[in-house]
Amino acid sequence: DIQMTQSPASLSASLGETVTIECLASEDIYSNLAWYQQKPGKSPQLLIYDASSLQDGVPSRFSGSESGTQYSLEINSLQSEDAATYFCQQHHDYPFTFGSGTKLEIK
Amino acid sequence: EVQLQQSGAELGKPGTSVKLSCKVSGYNIRNTYMHWVNQRPGKGLEWIGRIDPANGNTIYAEKFKSKATLTADTSSNTAYMQLSQLKSDDTAIYFCAPLMYTTEPFAYWGQGTLVTVSS
């Protein structure tokens, strides 16, 4: 199985700041990487797919990038509504696997 | 637009089974691969498996091969997941999520069904 190592487990940032969340795949997943946002009591919402493509309706302050098997989610100009848990997921091969999540707190 | 309606919360006793449903509207389930994902309390997301409703073919994560059984009824556009031999560790929210192709991200999710295992 492909392991997705996500970091950090949690972070706290102020309104307007920029944060970066990372996921390291245990093998090449050929950019088949998605990022999700999940708020308490809700289903995950797709933010980014294919490592850097923005899902329709997602604000442009969210962006994704990659370097080898390292994938990053950047959130610019943090807003209060960005407080959530973020997960990465490889959709390259079965079994699909997720990162362990990053809980983002807005100060 | 694809809409997913999952069945209500379940309370199951250890050793018993529960069957969850996921009704799809706005799209023919035969044209999807229906996936199931769980989330234990306060934990991350875990892929369980998927079914091709057109032919019933299934793929399971290794740890769920003897736990979950995926089925689908194309006449009612509904997918099902049965969880057997319930243990406290099966307490989780279970989501259904359809894909139009074999490997792509999950753009649509059901609202989730909470399964609580308790005697």
Side-chain angles (χ1 to χ4, degrees), chain A residues 36 38 43-44 91 94 96, chain B residues 39 47 50 102-103 106 109-110:
Chain A
Y36 300 89
Q38 187 180 32
S43 306
H91 52 93
Y94 295 136
F96 290 166
Chain B
Q39 186 168 37
W47 184 79
R50 71 93 165 141
T102 54
T103 56
F106 296 116
W109 296 72

Side-chain angles (χ1 to χ4, degrees), chain B residues 24-79:
Chain B
V24 180
S25 57
Y27 204 83
N28 191 330
I29 195 175
R30 295 178 66 90
N31 297 325
T32 72
Y33 298 93
M34 186 61 75
H35 294 246
W36 293 82
V37 174
N38 80 355
Q39 186 168 37
R40 292 186 170 84
K43 301 297 184 183
L45 300 161
E46 191 172 32
W47 184 79
I48 296 169
R50 71 93 165 141
I51 184 169
D52 180 350
N55 56 29
N57 287 346
T58 53
I59 299 176
Y60 296 94
E62 189 65 35
K63 69 175 290 187
F64 289 101
K65 283 185 176 178
S66 59
K67 171 63 62 179
T69 302
L70 305 183
T71 57
D73 179 2
T74 55
S75 66
S76 63
N77 230 33
T78 303

